[in-house]
Structure formats: C-alpha cells, structure tokens
Amino acid sequence: MGLRVDHSIFSDITSYVETVKQERYASGSALVIIKDDEIIHEWYSGTHHFEKGAKKVDDASRFNVYSVRVTYIGLAIALAVEEGLLSLDDRISDYLIEYDVDTLAHTTIRHLLTRCTGLNFKEKKVNRLFDPGTNIEGKKPDLLAKILYKATGKTVNEVLTDKVIKPLNLINTGWVTAANENLVSDINLSASYPALRMGSNIGDERNLYISAKDLAIWGNLHLNKGKYKGKQILSTNVFNLTTSIQSPHSLPKHLPKFSFFGG
C-alpha cells in the first residue's frame, strides 16, 4: 500500500509554484514530491501553450529542461570514468582531433567538466582566451558528448537509456526528434507564438524533454546515490564523483569551484 498523505500540507508549495508560473508567463507547470522512493504528491496546472485548444498539463506532459540536461551528460561521463573508459585528466586533444592540437594544448576533460578550458570553439576552429584552469566560462556539454562517443562508441542517449532510463522505466524522458502531443511548448514572448525545440537523439543538444515525474525520479536517484526502491541501480562512486569538487587546483581561490558542471 502507498503512503497515506494529507495533501493539504503541500498547499503552500503548490501555491508558490503557481505564482512562479504566472510571474514567468509560463502556460503550464507541475510539481512532484517524493518521499522514501514513493511519489506522495502530484500537482499539474495550465496548458501546453496559450493557443486555443491547447492540451492540459498532466503527468505525461514533457517539459524542455534546458540547462538541467547537463546533469544527464555529466552522469554519462561519470559512468565512463567508473568503467575505466575515460579519465578526467585525459587531454581533450586525444578525442577532438578536428581542432588544432597546439591550441588545445594541455586542456583536459576535467577542465571541460569544471568550466575552465579557456577555449572558444566555433565550427572547426578553436581560439584560446586564457590558460586552462585560470578562469571560468560557460558550459560546453556538446564537446563532452562528442568525447564520450569517441571513448565508448555510444551516445549520451544510448548510455543513459541502458543504465538509467530503461531500468527506472522513465517513459517520458528523451531527446526529441519530432513533435508529439505530450510536449509542452516554449513561450517566445518576442515572437508571440509557442515553439518546440527539435534536434537529434544523440544527447548533445537542448532538446531534452522530461515529465515532472521522471525528473523527480532522476533527482531522487542522485539524492540516494544510485539506489532506487532498495536496489542499487548505479554505483555510489559515480555520484560521489559527479557531486564532489573537481576543479583543478590552479583555479584562483576567489573563483567558484565546480563538480560536474555544478556548484
């Protein structure tokens, strides 16, 4: 039997989520709360977009998670490290052979993961802006996805489908290649129309759409370091690796230090 829950205790947080939805001019929102590996509260509000006939948000609605996607790429990299297929201190020039090796110099996967490569990539060209490990920059998850494929022969999508998505039955998680009725549109105020971001299913683009329930389970898996409903789905070492500080010692003390993409 599931836990008996008085859902009224979640009224404040539900109200907060609804307020944020309105403030951000979002068409829809969702809230899922998990306790002891069981979903104890779900709440869905609004529609997939503002146009007439829009589908109501429900437990199958999938939202584009944008920056959250880096946690998926980071976990795929950590799995490759755990399996001995990669090292954080591998030089990226060993994998990104299409770029000038002298410019890449001593830059490593660690620098990529902790946002301090000092490199600017544009198409087939790369320029150095600062020495690796001396300043911070934006994320470059697409390069890590490419490195993962070179090292393992598998895409981010393939690695995670095998290790996480199928074992946890995350049926509403994936990189979307074609529109379907469960996708929640982005609201582009400047263009005044709803939009969907399509792309490849490799796992290197911003087209990862996830239901609130699947995302809650993903977060719960991290919270419990790979254990789900009493079963160790992934090694605890993988989550220790992704969540501990990995920034190189050369990074100046006044700058923030990162784990796998995160703070």
Side-chain angles (χ1 to χ4, degrees):
M1 292 180 61
L3 295 173
R4 291 186 178 182
V5 179
D6 176 8
H7 292 274
S8 66
I9 65 176
F10 302 113
S11 60
D12 286 348
I13 190 171
T14 299
S15 177
Y16 171 75
V17 174
E18 178 64 20
T19 298
V20 171
K21 182 190 78 160
Q22 295 174 6
E23 289 177 348
R24 301 298 297 173
Y25 197 67
S27 65
S29 59
L31 172 66
V32 175
I33 297 175
I34 293 178
K35 183 179 187 298
D36 298 331
D37 291 336
E38 296 289 341
I39 293 175
I40 60 172
H41 181 68
E42 294 180 71
W43 174 83
Y44 303 95
S45 173
T47 56
H48 285 202
H49 52 79
F50 289 128
E51 304 300 314
K52 184 178 179 180
K55 185 178 184 291
K56 289 185 177 180
V57 173
D58 58 25
D59 62 353
S61 297
R62 294 170 60 180
F63 299 82
N64 190 325
V65 295
Y66 284 89
S67 291
V68 176
R69 74 192 173 100
V70 301
T71 66
Y72 290 73
I73 296 172
L75 185 63
I77 291 289
L79 287 168
V81 172
E82 173 73 3
E83 294 173 6
L85 301 174
L86 276 178
S87 166
L88 296 189
D89 295 313
D90 285 347
R91 293 188 183 186
I92 64 174
S93 59
D94 293 338
Y95 302 95
L96 304 178
I97 59 175
E98 65 269 41
Y99 297 105
D100 179 63
V101 65
D102 292 329
T103 304
L104 297 182
H106 302 298
T107 311
T108 66
I109 292 175
R110 184 184 302 277
H111 292 127
L112 262 180
L113 281 167
T114 58
R115 303 169 53 184
C116 59
T117 66
L119 299 170
N120 177 49
F121 292 85
K122 189 173 183 180
E123 297 178 353
K124 296 287 184 178
K125 295 183 179 180
V126 59
N127 297 309
R128 180 160 292 285
L129 304 179
F130 55 84
D131 290 335
T134 62
N135 208 334
I136 57 174
E137 62 201 6
K139 305 179 183 74
K140 296 178 173 67
D142 55 321
L143 294 178
L144 283 162
K146 186 179 294 186
I147 289 172
L148 180 78
Y149 185 76
K150 289 283 186 71
T152 68
K154 294 183 178 180
T155 66
V156 171
N157 189 7
E158 289 170 333
V159 169
L160 295 181
T161 295
D162 179 50
K163 300 290 187 179
V164 182
I165 295 174
K166 283 187 176 179
L168 296 186
N169 194 32
L170 303 180
I171 60 174
N172 289 310
T173 294
W175 282 265
V176 172
T177 60
N180 69 71
E181 65 174 6
N182 288 331
L183 304 183
V184 178
S185 299
D186 297 337
I187 306 300
N188 188 331
L189 295 181
S190 61
S192 72
Y193 61 83
L196 296 173
R197 183 183 288 269
M198 302 291 101
S200 77
N201 64 356
I202 290 174
D204 61 341
E205 298 182 43
R206 295 180 180 178
N207 58 321
L208 178 59
Y209 284 79
I210 306 172
S211 70
K213 185 182 294 185
D214 279 10
L215 188 57
I217 293 172
W218 174 262
N220 190 57
L221 184 71
H222 284 68
L223 180 66
N224 293 306
K225 295 189 174 182
K227 183 177 287 187
Y228 184 65
K229 293 190 175 181
K231 183 178 180 181
Q232 196 70 42
I233 303 296
L234 297 174
S235 169
T236 300
N237 294 335
V238 171
F239 296 90
N240 289 337
L241 184 66
T242 61
T243 58
S244 58
I245 297 299
Q246 299 293 343
S247 293
H249 296 305
S250 58
L251 198 66
K253 291 183 178 180
H254 69 279
L255 294 176
K257 308 302 183 292
F258 296 109
S259 55
F260 278 32
F261 292 119

